[in-house]
Amino acid sequence: QLFVDRVELFAFDVDWATPANSTFTLTATFPIASYTYTPCGFFRFNCVRQLDTVRRVDSLGEWPMFRFAYRNLGTHEAMVGAFTIGGGLGEVGAATRWFELRRTGGGSWSLYQEGTYDPGDGHDRFNASIAMDVAGNIALGYSVSSSAMYPSIRYATRLAGDPLGSLGTE
């Protein structure tokens, strides 16, 4: 079986009266652009460099980051998420992959847009958090570090009408 890079969506149905009847079901799988799963190697976290020390910063690339934000925008529902990937242009290659799922009229969820944020300046970007406001604008915050800078927090945004899959400058 061919392995496909993907985002999987699960539904959690809680039965509070009889917890044993609760279910956790895979409801959809969305193929996404190919990516390298981790900049550091599987379950090797402390690899991102920082200025003035040999100690490294953790980059968690094995799973999506907090939070997986949901919005009901009236005409459609949206969920946005982000995770760290390898293959970027920073020192160890940490970059941030982000995505938006949409559902219209109570139908099925679909992958609306996705992107990888990596400005190519030699710094690693990792451990992101993403949010969407009531107008559908997106903000992506993340950690950034390299041997040339101390660990910092930066962000990039996109307006709802911007080209799909794109973020503005930091």
Side-chain angles (χ1 to χ4, degrees):
Q1 179 179 4
L2 179 62
F3 184 77
V4 177
D5 292 327
R6 66 198 180 277
V7 170
E8 295 177 335
L9 182 63
F10 289 80
F12 186 39
D13 184 21
V14 178
D15 184 333
W16 296 105
T18 310
N21 291 339
S22 298
T23 59
F24 188 67
T25 309
L26 176 64
T27 59
T29 300
F30 309 101
I32 60 174
S34 181
Y35 64 93
T36 302
Y37 286 87
T38 174
C40 307
F42 285 105
F43 300 106
R44 182 174 166 250
F45 305 122
N46 59 339
C47 72
V48 177
R49 292 176 177 92
Q50 56 182 321
L51 184 62
D52 290 341
T53 183
V54 296
R55 290 189 180 263
R56 306 261 177 124
V57 179
D58 287 354
S59 171
L60 306 174
E62 280 76 25
W63 47 81
M65 299 276 69
F66 178 80
R67 54 192 252 250
F68 188 58
Y70 168 83
R71 278 282 185 185
N72 186 333
L73 299 166
T75 59
H76 65 277
E77 296 169 271
M79 292 189 283
V80 291
F83 54 100
T84 302
I85 64 171
L89 299 175
E91 290 177 328
V92 299
T96 298
R97 174 66 60 90
W98 62 276
F99 60 91
E100 178 184 353
L101 305 178
R102 278 197 181 183
R103 178 167 68 177
T104 304
S108 298
W109 288 96
S110 63
L111 178 66
Y112 181 69
Q113 65 177 325
E114 65 175 306
T116 299
Y117 196 74
D118 182 22
D121 59 4
H123 305 306
D124 289 295
R125 286 160 177 81
F126 53 99
N127 300 354
S129 183
I130 192 167
M132 176 183 280
D133 70 12
V134 70
N137 304 313
I138 292 174
L140 178 72
Y142 43 85
S143 297
V144 59
S145 188
S146 72
S147 60
M149 67 177 297
Y150 295 109
S152 304
I153 296 174
R154 295 186 181 175
Y155 68 93
T157 61
R158 74 176 305 280
L159 298 175
D162 288 349
L164 293 179
S166 68
L167 290 170
T169 57
E170 285 182 323

